[in-house]
Amino acid sequence: MEAQTPPEPVLEAAIRIESHLEDADERSLADDVLDGLTRPFKEIPPKHFYDARGAELFDRICELPEYYPTRAEREILEQRAQEIAQLTGAAELVELGSGTASKTRVLLDALNAAGTLRRYVPVDVTESMVRECASELTDEYPGLYVHGVIADFERHLDRVPPAAGARIVAFLGGTIGNFPPGSRRRFLREIAALLGRDDHLLLGTDLVKDPAVLEAAYDDAQGVTAEFNRNVLRVLNRELGADFELDDFEHVAVFDREHEWIEMRLRARRAHTTHVRDLDLPVRFEEGEEMRTEISAKFTDARIDGDLSAAGLELVQRFTDSDGLFALTLARRRANAPARSSQ
Ligand code: SAH
Ligand code: AVI
């Protein structure tokens, strides 16, 4: 009789990807456009920049000499990742707006070296980036599980899977600054609800500095940021059948000193009417009229602390780069805050 071969062990797949977008996402773009382009001061929320081309343009922005935040945040991570690994003992890294996860690798390296890392959970609206980064990271870190979540973090934070051990929720790059102040605090409260007693938030924030440095970072000499800004019009043309002529709009980036944020706008070079076919919506622009496409808030220590406190969080440690351009804040739930939401 032939010897029986033992059954193959059932291995958990290294990659799991879930998508929560599809129809709901198109509705959200349509709702945002209907809402934002019928106001006296027109506005389109920044999350619509990031189709595959927008994501690629953002990557190019990160390499620009004027755009210091990526380099500054990377420097902090390189200096402090080991300390963060020790302070958190994290088995899991959840990353909101993960993009290509290029800086994240510094943190993954440190958690891996500490021997605690088991799972990475990238959450992003751009499907291609979540999929690519999942396959790259499982190659680079043997034994790592990647649970990718393709989702709008403003609407689907409850789809982040239950924690698999002590977790860090990372929100890097200064993306928190792209929320208006009220929503920013609300969003931080929602993040706090993902944290248990052993978990931490790692928050990247760009810092207030010389307006000339800030404005250059958002209006680079090569015009990559201008292309990124106008890319939202391509998204509207493709997704909603709009007929924007990109050359009709000029890129504007100004530092608003009162609010301490950079505002990106698109300024109409001539008076004209565009049509958003799928919404049956004519949109009139006067010459020189500006439409807001992004705010990027800049922070002080007090602003960060105020936001953390309003969200039921407390500071563990704050790190900055050698030029004091950018801050990375490690925080946890305040002791008297309620425990992680029932997941
Ligand atoms: N964290 C990276 C990328 C920052 S760019 C870094 O620090 O370099 C902002 C990222 O957030 C993009 O990848 C974009 O696709 C994603 N993003 C923007 N709005 C989002 C939303 N509402 N939900 C999920 N992801 C979003
Ligand atoms: C993603 N986010 C933090 C960038 C920022 O700096 O606000 C987006 C960006 N906009 C123009 N350049 C980069």
Side-chain angles (χ1 to χ4, degrees), residues 50 58 61 67 173-175 178 218 225 228 264 294 296:
Y50 299 95
F58 178 74
I61 288 176
Y67 194 75
T175 306
N178 298 136
Y218 290 82
T225 312
F228 174 73
M264 290 211 313
E294 184 179 73
S296 189

